[in-house]
Amino acid sequence: MFAKVALAVVFSCYLIDHHIWTVGGGYIDPVVINALDNGPSFQNANHNISVVGDNFVLDGKVLKIISGSLHYFRLPSAYWRDRLRKLKAGGLNAVSTYVEWSYHEPEEGQYMFEGDRDVARFVQIAAEEGLHVLLRPGPYICAERDLGGLPYWLLGKYPNIKLRTVDKDFIDETKIWMTKLFTYLKPLLIGNGGPIILVQVENEYGSYGRDKEYMGSIRDIILDHIGNKALLYTTDGTDPQLFLSGSINGAVPTIDFGSYSNVTKVLNTFRRYFPHGPLMNSEFYSGWLTHWNETLQQTSGHHLVNTLRILLNNNFNVNFYMFFGGTNFEFTSGANYDRSYLPDITSYDYDAPLSEAGDPTDKYYLIRNTLAEYDPELRNIPLPVPSKKEAYGEVTLQSRGSILSTKGRKHLGKQYKDVTGSVLPTFESLRQRAGLLLYETIVNETDGELKITKPRDMVYVYVDGELQGSLYRGCKQYTLNLKCKPGSRLSLLVENQGRINYGNRIHDYKGILSTVKINNNVLGGKWFVTGYPLVFNGEEKSLSNDSDPRRGPVLFEGTFNVAVHGNILDTYLDTTGWGKGYVWINGYNLGRYWPSVGPQVTLYVPGVWLRQGINDILILELEDAPKEPIIQFIDVAILNRRGIMCKLP
């Protein structure tokens, strides 16, 4: 028998000097206690969590953590309770969540902890639903988020900053951030009567570096805020080089691996270096992430639960990553780099037990049935079922014209200071987080080859307003045959597709980072720079009615009616036939669509973002709108329709 556990996302591993850790005061004899926890009770501040021998012990009872990762920033707050309740009904007793720095401080000093960003409320709801919480505050979290969850403005404020090191600027900013964060979360630590039992130090640092001084600094920063009120932990991969580099004294080391790993081999390797302490797979992968221009990543549920049994029979604590994935709304998707740049799709469904819309899948039922073998009482909890979706039908859109038109520039663009020379400003130096940057200059060439060796990321190339092609980092397309004449205006529209979130390339500045050449001649004259942050305020209706896609990115607008009785249901926007762009519904940015490349075709639309009666939809199409600008709401997700953009080298 073991307690039900909710999501625990873990990414670091730490060296431990002792066999017993206590939190909340007091000493517990290192004896095996068979009584197991049936869920947290947060009535007072006298709780104590510790490590005794090979177990976590909470208030004198062995706590077997069966957790699942669920990130509050990947779904509307109105759905938090529903997802957490389903997580517990699946047999879990804990939830694991990252805290995303950039989500709460998108611009320097502009803190946001209300509504969908109220992380303290998320933790409180988890407690109300009887779940422990595993907190992963970073400061770096990866999580397939832009810049690994670090705020982009660090790169602009400190052009030479060295992220994830003891660089003074990085450490000082981390201290400021953690102080702000824990003013909200400190009361929710287990030693203060809250549900937070474990707090992670950094995130899979062993995959990035070996600097113990840095890890010690992050440990101490977090420790200053949590004291003895919760346990610290780390997590890393199963290679000794990873978990030894990422571990630190004073934090429980854990590891992460998927269902195809040899558990016996992993266990024996880990125990050679850490002979005592709890075993925990802090990221037991239930699925995997997917990039644009890939096949949808999916894993076997039967294989997953077979490995789960092996883990439980070997006294492992487990956190499923992910148990619920959710969505990378707005411009929050990150990217990876493996031979080339690989931007993440908008959906973070992850082939998780709960789908992007929060519906239990076959994998969910397999996990619950497996956990019920160890805790028969689980069968008494009602099974959740998939929710109904609504197909709201077709919407006919009207073109509002190109955002590069005179009115488009005036109402949607931000004119930055003109620059002279061959070095162009980046998004970060201009303090623009996302969206588009337009670089323009007058050329003196007659036709020839345009060359940009460091486009970040997609560059649409216009000459005198006519689209001539594009350059793309992901396909390593750095040259383009150009038709121009002396006096032509060269316009380079750059789309930021997400900063790299993992590995040694995370210092991922956006814009044009190399010289711009035509026929190997560097363009070093005057450049006019316009930014498009793509934060709309309603003035987009004033654009000219020039809808020719060749004249630049075109904005489309429409309305649709929702007439239902009772709750408004979730739906999916089918982008079939469109090129690439972004969608806003009632002001909410659903994220990027790119159906010609795939595999994602539909965008998830939460019902709580819709309203009875008339709803507004806005689409920015960057490439090719259909001849008839019609788009459709359907009641099923399409995430596995593979297109082709380029074959990676």
Side-chain angles (χ1 to χ4, degrees), residues 118-297:
D118 191 348
V119 60
R121 182 59 186 147
F122 175 81
V123 173
Q124 290 166 346
I125 293 174
E128 292 166 7
E129 294 300 321
L131 294 166
H132 303 293
V133 174
L134 284 64
L135 190 74
R136 308 179 74 182
Y140 162 83
I141 63 171
C142 184
E144 285 70 62
R145 300 286 277 190
D146 184 74
L147 198 58
L150 296 171
Y152 88 98
W153 53 261
L154 290 174
L155 300 178
K157 184 177 181 180
Y158 308 106
N160 298 314
I161 195 170
K162 294 179 173 57
L163 305 173
R164 304 183 76 187
T165 72
V166 291
D167 178 291
K168 183 178 184 301
D169 295 327
F170 183 68
I171 293 297
D172 287 349
E173 293 289 355
T174 297
K175 287 179 179 178
I176 295 170
W177 158 241
M178 290 293 181
T179 297
K180 184 70 174 181
L181 174 64
F182 279 99
T183 61
Y184 295 92
L185 296 183
K186 187 173 182 178
L188 298 170
L189 299 170
I190 187 70
N192 292 327
I196 300 173
I197 56 174
L198 300 182
V199 179
Q200 182 176 296
V201 180
E202 237 271 352
N203 187 64
E204 279 192 324
Y205 180 72
S207 298
Y208 185 79
R210 302 183 182 183
D211 188 348
K212 292 294 183 181
E213 181 183 2
Y214 168 68
M215 284 298 288
S217 296
I218 300 301
R219 174 200 59 199
D220 293 345
I221 290 171
I222 295 175
L223 202 58
D224 283 345
H225 298 289
I226 73 169
N228 66 346
K229 302 297 185 179
L231 284 176
L232 296 176
Y233 75 106
T234 63
T235 188
D236 281 283
T238 58
D239 188 292
Q241 179 175 316
L242 301 180
F243 62 68
L244 292 176
S245 297
S247 57
I248 194 72
N249 292 337
V252 179
T254 72
I255 46 181
D256 51 29
F257 53 93
S259 60
Y260 290 91
S261 297
N262 184 321
V263 176
T264 300
K265 182 179 179 181
V266 169
L267 172 59
N268 291 338
T269 300
F270 185 72
R271 279 303 191 212
R272 281 204 300 270
Y273 299 91
F274 298 108
H276 303 285
L279 294 170
M280 185 164 183
N281 184 344
S282 340
E283 289 194 1
F284 181 39
Y285 299 112
S286 63
W288 199 246
L289 62 105
T290 301
H291 305 106
W292 294 108
N293 201 33
E294 279 185 350
T295 300
L296 181 68
Q297 304 297 298

Side-chain angles (χ1 to χ4, degrees), residues 402-404 462 465 467 493 548-554 621-623:
S402 170
I403 69 171
L404 303 186
Y462 300 86
L467 178 65
L493 185 67
D548 185 347
R550 295 175 300 170
R551 303 291 296 178
V554 179
E621 171 57 54
L622 298 177
E623 297 184 350

Side-chain angles (χ1 to χ4, degrees), residues 1-2 32-34 36 52-56 62-66 263 267 271 277-281 307-318 374:
M1 300 267 305
F2 53 79
V32 176
I33 303 171
N34 292 322
L36 290 174
V52 180
D54 295 339
N55 296 296
F56 292 109
V62 171
L63 171 65
K64 181 67 68 179
I65 298 175
I66 309 297
V263 176
L267 172 59
R271 279 303 191 212
L279 294 170
M280 185 164 183
N281 184 344
T307 305
L308 175 62
R309 288 190 187 91
I310 298 172
L311 291 172
L312 298 177
N313 292 339
N314 280 277
N315 200 32
F316 268 86
N317 298 274
V318 174
Y374 298 81

